Structures are given as structure tokens and as C-alpha cells.
Amino acid sequence: MKYNTRNIGIIAHVDAGKTTLSERLLYYTGLIHKIGNVDDGNTTMDKDIQERNRGITISSAAVSTQWKKGGNIYNINIIDTPGHIDFAVEVERSLRVLDSVVAVFCASSGVQPQTENVWFQAEKHGTSKICFINKMDRIGADFFAVLKDIEMKLNAVPMALQIPIGAENSFEGVIDLIRMKALYWIDENGETIVEKEIPHDYFSNAEEYRMKLLETLAEYDETFFDVFMNTEHQITIEMIMETVQRVCRSGAAVPVLCGSAFKNKGIQPLLDAVVTYLPAPDQLADIQGKDPKTEEVIEWKRNEGKPFSGIVFKVVIDKHMGRLAMLRIYSGKIKSGDTVQNVRTGESFRISRILQMQSDKTLSLEEGKAGDIVALTGIKDAKTGDSLSSVERPILLEAITIPAPVIRVSIEPKTNGDEKSFGLVLAKIQEEDPSLVVERDQQTGETLLSGLGELHLEVTLEKIRLNHGIEINQGKPKVSYREILTETRIHREKLSKQNGGSGQFADISFEIGPRDSNEHGLEFINMIKGGVIPTEFIPSVEKGFRAAMESGPLKGYPLESMKVTLLDGSFHAQDSAAMDFEIAARDGFKSAARQCSPRLLEPVMQVEIQSIEEHTGAITADINRRRGIITSIDEKSGRKIFTAEIPLASTFGYISDLRTLTSGRASISMKLSHYALVPDFIANTLIT
């Protein structure tokens, strides 16, 4: 019997049925013996009080389970990620450490905005994907429309491995297009699968979609193309499965299956597909990292023979076990008692225990090896994105991208007695969720909490109240604006101080203004010739400008982008130091940026609203009232779908307003689209 690992994430839009699907996966793999349901608030993956109350996933849950297929036991690590845009960091850090994903779609809603978001996040990481079209029993379910949606909206090539037998109330089972058999689930818990011949009235449809599958495989796989074109060759089931595996792992096309997780139909074939088509960790490309000292690129095979390396993708503070660092091991192995290094801090520490997560339960392990996802205890100061490695051979792996917050709120404890613990709790929640930023307003002395959306902040404040017993007063939500320069100026900045002994001297001349491209951040061009400023001081000039961008000239908001060209300057052989040039750059920015006609930028959200025909007028008028622009109005399954771009400042309270406006008959989802210039009539009220 051989052991094999699959690290999978479950990604989807809110309410596509991710958590229900995860629950069924755990039931059929034997990890749990009773099926939980989101509506009943008793699922294994959603353990948090709020997750149960709200019926949504907030933090990504990790669980390890096993599936038997063809005499092999497969170890499957499943991470159920949130579907709500406000918890995008949870999805990002999960995708960073997973090898493949199961993308879940609602059969009646199809591809929704957050599905697109997480899909393209997975694309960025080069993650293999399988699609599962869920809720085939729902009113308006249309498997073939969702296939088209995947193709058009996600720019993907879907390969249907199954087609449904019936839909909505008459959904009975699926047709396996590889083996050309009909599968039916006959008992309530869906454990017994009966295989039958394909019903007569579905046969021609099944043949048509099987041919589409074979044509797709021939198009994306040379070996299969030769067999497909050679009529003498018999195409076997094994041949098709091996080709699906190659095409899926290359990312050229994605296998699509269907079912109804709630009705316990279609789960076992999905588990079979996960272990058959998705890659094991050692089948992926070599890991790449850098030597922290020399910056030299290191490439290692993902096996146990190489030195240990791993990445901390989450920090959880458990009330019984204390601080747990969730770790994906990429190479080598570790045992309890081993000493490892945190490459970011350069510190070494001893691992107390290695645990396997079974959602809210844990299992002690003797060792963790390449490909495993484990939790470590005894790790001080580890943050999300930290690389851990062997002390002898440190390797710095690519960090995890944390999105910038777009909304903030002022907070304070209701009672003075909670003041001390309030600070500790804020530090703790920031450790667990790095997309939260806590800062003090220099002018007012208020504590400001920034996050990725209204729901994100609401959930965080509720967590402080429920988990830590601290009641909080909060101000109105405020938008995190940004600033931009709209004109270019040339400026000279000279720093010259004599204070007895060695002085300070730096002299720089530079051009400052907007970037020519739409890129973010600082574009720094060094035009210094003839050593008028020594080469070793140039990085300090760049560092000074980069630091200065954190606080713009209008209201102190960060600058979205800026271009600086260093033209000329001078230095003093005794008095000049790197720090002097950094200070000159910061001071020069403060003086020059004000002359560059700075403007405010505001976050603009892409909003999708689904409603019924009769509310069209009210919704359109409301979008216009919020300074929104409608980009499209579509119709699907008898519902109107509005896509619009609305400034974040106009979306506060939108969810409850929309419910009132449509008598609860509309749903809304939002994601950050871009930053745009704030109109003058609004900017004037903000800048005064």
C-alpha cells in the first residue's frame, strides 16, 4: 500500500456551497460520522461562533483526511477558504501553500465576481484546478450554461467529465463520460452508488459531450492527438484518464464534475478525480528561493532528501495550546525537538510539537515531511509569510502578498478597565490577520483599525467582543484614500548641518511627478554621472523617497505611484553619510510634492447586484445616487444582474439599504476594482 498526498483548497463565491461540500468530503472519507449542515450551524469546518451565526466561512479551516482508491491510500489536506471578498487575505495565503483547488460553482448562479477573483488568484500561483458544479437540485440549475460561463468569464477550457441526469427537482444522478455509465445515489446519505446503462433519451447528449472531451484532449496533448487521429488505435479508459491528468496538471484545461453536496450526490467521483488528476507535491516544479546572505537563487526538488524548508501561512492563537504556526513543508523533514531557523529574523528555535489539524481537533505527529501541512508549537515571533528552514542551509521563499486595507474605523474600549487588555487583544488579532492594520492618529490620538471592507471590520470587532469580552465604541467607517501627483517639477534639496565634530551634508537635484504607466509604487531613475554622488548613497536616496510616499502632501494618505529622476547633486567627503541622503530625499519630497498639483484617489468597488425585474428602476436610481456607473445589465435564470462601479465611500450600509429597497429580494457582492480621482466637489470637503 503506498501513501500519497494531495493539498487542495476549496474556493468559490459566497453561498456556492463550499462548506457543505467540505463537510461531505469529510463524511465520505470517514473523518466524521455525522453530516453537518451550514443552516443547522453544526459543520466541522465552521467552528467560530460568528461563522455559525452568519452561515459564512471567515477564516480558512485546515483538515487532513484520507481516501482509498484502487488499493492506495491518499492523504488529503483540505483547506476550506472564505468566499467573501473582505477575507481575501485568507484565500491568498491558502492558495500560496496549496498545490491545487476545487472551484465550486452554483448551478443556477454560475460564475460570480468573487469566483473570478479567487480563480485568477489561483492562476497567479499556477495552481491546478478541478471544477465542481454544485446545487444541481436548485431552481434554475443549468450545467451547460455554467460550462459556457467558465469558458467566457474565466477564460478557461472546461472539460466535462460528467453531465447531469436531470436538473432542479428532477436531478437524479450523473453520466460518467469516460466510462459511459450512469451513476445514481440511492440512499439518503449518498453512500450507495448504483451504476447503470445510460438512459436512452440521454445517450446522444452523452456521446456528443464525450466527443467534445476527446477533441479537447487531442487539442492539448500531443500523445493523445496521435492516438485520436489514428483510427486503428483503440482509445481505452486508462488512456483518457492519463491524458486528463496531464492536461489538468499542465493547466491547459480544467476537468468539470457536477452534483448536489446538500443532497449527497456526486461527492465520491469528485474525491476520485482529486486523487487521480490533481498533482502530488513531488510532481510539481522545483521550489525556488534565495540564499538570505548572498541573494543567490536556490532551486530544490520537493522531496525529503533535501534540507528542510517551509512557509508559515497562518498564525493561530489557541486558548489551550497557545501560539500555533500553520506550516507548509516544501522540502526535507522535521521532528519534535529539532532546531530550525526563521529566515526573516535570523533566529533559531526548537520545535516543541508537530500537530496535524483535524479542523478543531489536533493529532500529534512524530515528524512532518515534504508536502505536509502541519501546525507547530513553540515558535516565537513567527508571522504570516515567514520562511522556516534548517539552520545549516537557510532559504528564503517568496512571501505572501497581503492586500492593502481600504476602510478604517476609530475604536476604543467602553470601559477604562479594559484599556490594558485592549492593546494586547489588538496585537493578537493583527498577528492572526495581517490584513488588519492598527495605528494611532497623530492629530486626534484615536486608535484606528483598518481592514478590507465593512464586513471584515464588523467581524473583527465582534470577535473582540465575543472571544475576549471587551465591549467597544466605534466611530463611523472612513475610506482609506490615496494620493497622486498630477504634474512634474524639478527641485533641489540641500541638507547642511554643522554641530561640532562631523556634520551632515547631502545635496540632490531631482525631477518628481506622476508615472507614465499605470504601475503602482515608485519608479526611481538614477541619472547621476561622474560620481557627483557616490554610488553607495544612491539606494539611500531611493529609500528616502519610498518612505516619504507613505504620507502624501494633501492629507497624509499614501501615494499610489510616483516617478523620481535623480539628476544631479553633490557630497562632502567628511560630512556626508547614507542617512543624510535619505533625509534629503524625504525633505525634498515634502517641499516638491506640494507643487505637483496633488489629487486624492478613492477606492472604487465593482458591485454585482442580482434582483428581480420589478426592482430594476429602484436599483438603477440608487446606483446613480451613489455616484455609480452601471457597466452592464444581464439576465440569467429570470433574474436581472447589474454590474456597476461605485466609490467605496458610497457603499457603507449598502447591503441593508438594498434589502429594504427590494424587500429582501436582491443579493449583492463587491470587490475592489481600482482607485480613481475624487471629483473636486467632494475632494474640497475632504481636504479643508
Side-chain angles (χ1 to χ4, degrees), residues 180-200:
M180 286 301 271
K181 292 285 181 193
L183 306 178
Y184 296 90
W185 283 261
I186 56 166
D187 59 359
E188 200 183 318
N189 275 353
E191 287 173 75
T192 313
I193 304 173
V194 173
E195 203 173 275
K196 293 184 180 177
E197 292 307 314
I198 296 169
H200 181 69

Side-chain angles (χ1 to χ4, degrees), residues 405-453:
V406 293
I407 175 176
R408 58 207 177 114
V409 66
S410 61
I411 53 172
E412 62 177 20
K414 276 189 179 171
T415 59
N416 290 340
D418 284 331
E419 194 73 54
K420 191 179 174 187
S421 51
F422 180 60
L424 295 171
V425 167
L426 288 180
K428 188 170 161 182
I429 60 161
Q430 258 188 297
E431 276 191 72
E432 292 194 313
D433 183 351
S435 62
L436 289 167
V437 176
V438 178
E439 54 200 342
R440 263 190 115 62
D441 188 312
Q442 296 301 320
Q443 291 159 332
T444 63
E446 291 176 311
T447 300
L448 298 174
L449 177 69
S450 304
L452 302 178

